[in-house]
Amino acid sequence: GVARLTVDDDGEPATWTGTLGYDLDETATLVERWLRLEAIASEIDEAVDDASDLVVVEGPALNTNRPQAGRFDLWGGWWLVVDRLLTPNRKRRGHAVAIVTPTQRAMYATGNGRAAKPAVVEAVRRHYGDRFDIPRGAASTAAGDIADAVVLVALGARALGHPIDDPSPLHLRALDRVRWPHLENRTAP
């Protein structure tokens, strides 16, 4: 899921949400898997505005006991995306990137770091549904992915000093352990 918040010249927020990714047969070759991950990383690179002040990415769920098909590809894709965001190129300097753990994301959304995906989706609809397009159906993968991305946007806006919400102190505990990049006078790695 990808969510974006921008502010126009009059200070009015504009939002965008979407999902990226491709289904791939389990029998895909190594090259097919690599091409899939490259395509996703390229889409995210295109979706991020060159003038973005901050990009917030959810960290991988490393300590989950649940098996996930394609976990190896998922983690490799995560690093491809982060590499694209951090690396300067001819178009832009590298972005300031903050990593938020799944627990921090759930805590900020619901006040409970162990909240299940449907609880996060419902909390996001309740708090941000008037500003972000979140698909209906709490069990929808797209709804969960977009809800997660909206929480990351809200965290990033707060880190930049432009909060779009007013969460309780319980929810704000999620901010304590996020390592926010230095946003002023930043030089690319």
Side-chain angles (χ1 to χ4, degrees):
V2 179
R4 190 168 157 191
L5 172 70
T6 57
V7 179
D8 67 19
D9 293 336
D10 297 325
E12 292 298 315
T15 61
W16 174 85
T17 59
T19 57
L20 306 173
Y22 303 92
D23 290 330
L24 192 64
D25 187 311
E26 289 182 17
T27 62
T29 67
L30 181 63
V31 171
E32 290 168 332
R33 290 166 48 207
W34 175 76
L35 288 171
R36 172 184 182 246
L37 296 176
E38 272 292 318
I40 292 168
S42 293
E43 282 190 50
I44 290 174
D45 195 32
E46 290 296 319
V48 174
D49 188 308
D50 292 341
S52 296
D53 291 324
L54 177 65
V55 179
V56 184
V57 177
E58 183 173 356
L62 301 175
N63 59 354
T64 182
N65 291 328
R66 292 175 298 153
Q68 291 179 352
R71 181 180 295 223
F72 189 68
D73 288 355
L74 182 66
W75 292 348
W78 186 90
W79 275 110
L80 280 175
V81 167
V82 170
D83 177 67
R84 292 268 177 103
L85 294 170
L86 290 173
T87 304
N89 63 29
R90 282 178 269 147
K91 284 183 1 182
R92 60 165 169 76
R93 65 179 188 202
H95 292 288
V97 177
I99 306 301
V100 172
T101 68
T103 301
Q104 291 162 332
R105 177 207 22 91
M107 173 63 74
Y108 193 80
T110 68
N112 175 2
R114 296 179 186 263
K117 189 70 77 171
V120 171
V121 171
E122 290 311 312
V124 168
R125 280 201 183 108
R126 191 172 49 256
H127 296 293
Y128 311 105
D130 59 332
R131 289 174 281 199
F132 290 91
D133 182 26
I134 302 152
R136 294 315 271 154
S140 161
T141 299
D145 292 345
I146 289 172
D148 290 349
V150 168
V151 174
L152 300 179
V153 163
L155 280 159
R158 181 165 293 283
L160 290 170
H162 304 289
I164 61 170
D165 55 9
D166 189 23
S168 75
L170 180 65
H171 296 236
L172 289 172
R173 290 186 320 170
L175 294 167
D176 293 344
R177 294 194 183 198
V178 176
R179 295 181 69 182
W180 299 104
H182 183 58
L183 298 173
E184 295 180 32
N185 301 319
R186 179 179 49 86
T187 58

